[in-house]
Amino acid sequence: MKRKLIAAIGIAGMMVSIAACGSGDNKSGGSDAKELTVWLTVDAQNNWPELVKAADDAVTKKHPGLKIKHEYYGWPDKNPKLDAVLATDKVPDVVEMGNSEMLGYMVKGAFAQVDPAKFENSGQWLDGLKTSVTYGGKTYGVPYYAGGRVANWRKDIAASVGVKTPPKTYQELTADLDKIQKKEGDKFNAWYQPTRDWYAAMSFVYDAGGSIAKEEGGQWKANLSSPESVKGLTEFKNVLDKYMHGDKTKDESDRYIVYGQGKSAMIFAAAWEGATAADPKNDKTGKLKDNLENFVMPGPSGKNIPVFLGGSDLAIPVKSKAQDLAGEWINAFTGSQGQKGLMAKGNLPNNKTDLATLKNDPATAVPATAAESNWFVPMAPGWGQVEKAQTLQTMLQDIGTGKKSVEAAAKDADAAIDKVINTK
């Protein structure tokens, strides 16, 4: 999916209570409601409107006379609109959320609790997506679809140093990159890896057995200065030192544009970024279309590196007066038939069973295999404050520029995280 998921930090003026309006509450179930309002992003409107109609048809067949109203929003526009209506009684009954947006709203009590047993494939939901809809041991949303991260490199540049197939191990990868770097010189990025890209950096941390934070006894504590996390951060710094010769203060927001400029051989990025770099309006070399290749990113541990699993979830606002019908619509949209349709459109499914089928198709094997090993952010009440403060990005820039040692930067980041991570 061509977008960056952002975390929801706060919801001004929203004073609601999950306890008062669970999805099983007869007063708010609304199974006899006459209208259902569904908010989705323009991705659904532009790319799979027939799947939306199929869900509508399935629900209206069961509930004749029901009117289903759809509103579509761009990602930057949705949350301000949602925040405004959540303070009123005119809320949508279903709303699409980026999975990294869910936490802030769950902490504030904006969404109704749902029963996973009522949704197809819930026992097989992908771990990262399942985590994104879970807070305090309860479920407040349904995974919709997923998007992972893969390695992508230029076959022509690899071939120029005698490499004809993608690496299967991290040792093979670094050996290939060493050859490329030596041939192309120190003004070239054998691996263009933006320093502040915490999604990539934390993949190294989790691969080494570390984590951003751990929950113990109901309290969260930062874990970046643990020996395992430091090991992962140290390897990330090695990548920056050896292969990244660009600006060491950059983030990943324009990575696909930089890649398209032709001064890099590889990226580790969201699956759409390679293809977007090869778009004629971004490809300044005229060579990328037939020369880019995705492969599963190997980790230093010897296993596939765990990737941040992005994606979308569907939630039911706690003030909805049609929660039962909303659940029925979500199940019709995200169930087995819906997942087949979403996969046909190039998305990863919300469950492990369907994901396994994609591994058998050469066209989808790489992103499907990469997504099997995944991680997600700590589902702590104060995580939004950590993201807002850009604590991880600051740590990584301090490490990448040499301002601080890995150990010192990690220790400082832990101290900053611990101040807010348990605060709502």
Side-chain angles (χ1 to χ4, degrees):
M1 74 212 72
K2 187 182 175 183
R3 55 175 170 73
K4 183 177 178 181
L5 302 177
I6 60 173
I9 306 303
I11 303 129
M14 188 166 60
M15 299 296 291
V16 293
S17 171
I18 279 290
C21 297
S23 61
D25 189 330
N26 292 330
K27 294 180 181 180
S28 61
S31 59
D32 58 348
K34 300 302 181 185
E35 186 172 284
L36 193 70
T37 300
V38 177
W39 284 16
L40 299 171
T41 67
V42 292
D43 297 330
Q45 183 181 31
N46 296 335
N47 301 318
W48 46 87
E50 71 278 12
L51 302 183
V52 177
K53 184 178 185 302
D56 289 353
D57 291 346
V59 175
T60 54
K61 182 178 180 180
K62 184 177 177 182
H63 301 277
L66 176 68
K67 181 181 179 182
I68 302 179
K69 178 184 177 182
H70 294 281
E71 295 185 27
Y72 296 93
Y73 294 90
W75 285 101
D77 307 319
K78 174 180 61 69
N79 286 6
K81 175 70 172 177
L82 180 62
D83 294 349
V85 301
L86 285 175
T88 74
D89 291 325
K90 297 180 180 180
V91 300
D93 301 297
V94 176
V95 61
E96 177 181 351
M97 303 293 297
N99 64 343
S100 61
E101 296 174 337
M102 285 290 293
L103 179 57
Y105 288 85
M106 293 191 294
V107 169
K108 296 292 185 180
F111 298 143
Q113 184 181 345
V114 301
D115 179 1
K118 293 183 178 180
F119 300 92
E120 287 188 62
N121 300 313
S122 59
Q124 292 294 312
W125 284 343
L126 299 181
D127 294 339
L129 293 185
K130 181 179 180 180
T131 300
S132 74
V133 298
T134 305
Y135 181 70
K138 298 178 180 179
T139 305
Y140 295 102
V142 177
Y144 173 10
Y145 66 96
R149 280 167 167 71
V150 298
N152 179 287
W153 75 359
R154 290 183 56 174
K155 293 186 292 183
D156 56 339
I157 293 179
S160 73
V161 294
V163 177
K164 297 182 179 180
T165 58
K168 299 296 185 182
T169 68
Y170 192 72
Q171 289 71 27
E172 290 176 1
L173 173 64
T174 53
D176 294 344
L177 293 176
D178 287 344
K179 294 176 184 177
I180 291 171
Q181 194 66 69
K182 182 178 180 180
K183 179 178 182 296
E184 298 293 339
D186 60 11
K187 293 185 178 180
F188 186 86
N189 305 297
W191 175 350
Y192 180 72
Q193 178 53 64
T195 306
R196 293 171 65 87
D197 177 9
W198 64 277
Y199 297 106
M202 293 305 106
S203 287
F204 280 88
V205 167
Y206 282 91
D207 182 69
S211 61
I212 300 172
K214 287 185 174 183
E215 185 179 18
E216 298 176 358
Q219 291 289 300
W220 287 86
K221 185 169 179 57
N223 193 49
L224 291 167
S225 58
S226 69
E228 295 84 1
S229 296
V230 166
K231 180 180 179 182
L233 290 170
T234 299
E235 186 54 40
F236 184 72
K237 177 174 169 54
N238 289 340
V239 168
L240 299 175
D241 289 346
K242 292 177 68 176
Y243 309 123
M244 170 62 177
H245 299 288
D247 184 347
K248 295 291 179 70
T249 67
K250 284 182 68 67
D251 65 18
E252 71 279 11
S253 59
D254 65 346
R255 171 169 44 209
Y256 67 94
I257 295 175
V258 176
Y259 196 30
Q261 293 171 349
K263 298 297 183 180
S264 310
M266 174 186 145
I267 57 174
F268 171 44
W272 57 264
E273 292 189 48
T276 306
D279 187 298
K281 66 176 176 286
N282 296 318
D283 180 10
K284 304 306 180 184
T285 71
K287 301 177 181 178
L288 298 186
K289 182 178 179 181
D290 298 319
N291 274 310
L292 294 186
E293 182 175 25
N294 284 334
F295 59 93
V296 179
M297 178 68 186
S301 68
K303 301 178 181 178
N304 295 339
I305 204 165
V307 299
F308 175 80
L309 198 63
S312 279
D313 301 321
L314 296 172
I316 303 171
V318 74
K319 288 187 176 182
S320 166
K321 295 178 174 62
Q323 293 180 21
D324 291 344
L325 284 172
E328 288 185 36
W329 190 92
I330 291 173
N331 190 45
F333 190 52
T334 63
S336 296
Q337 288 303 116
Q339 292 302 308
K340 289 180 181 178
L342 287 165
M343 289 190 292
K345 297 292 184 177
N347 300 293
L348 295 178
N350 66 3
N351 67 90
K352 298 173 185 177
T353 302
D354 286 329
L355 188 71
T357 67
L358 293 181
K359 292 175 62 180
N360 299 321
D361 183 346
T364 54
V366 168
T369 301
E372 285 185 311
S373 178
N374 55 78
W375 61 272
F376 200 67
V377 300
M379 298 303 283
W383 176 251
Q385 297 182 58
V386 177
E387 286 206 31
K388 185 176 182 180
Q390 298 193 355
T391 302
L392 297 184
Q393 292 95 320
T394 298
M395 173 190 72
L396 294 172
Q397 183 170 320
D398 287 345
I399 291 172
T401 59
K403 181 178 180 180
K404 296 179 182 178
S405 67
V406 172
E407 291 80 4
K411 184 177 180 181
D412 289 347
D414 274 355
I417 291 171
D418 283 337
K419 288 180 179 178
V420 299
I421 195 168
N422 292 297
T423 304
K424 288 188 178 181

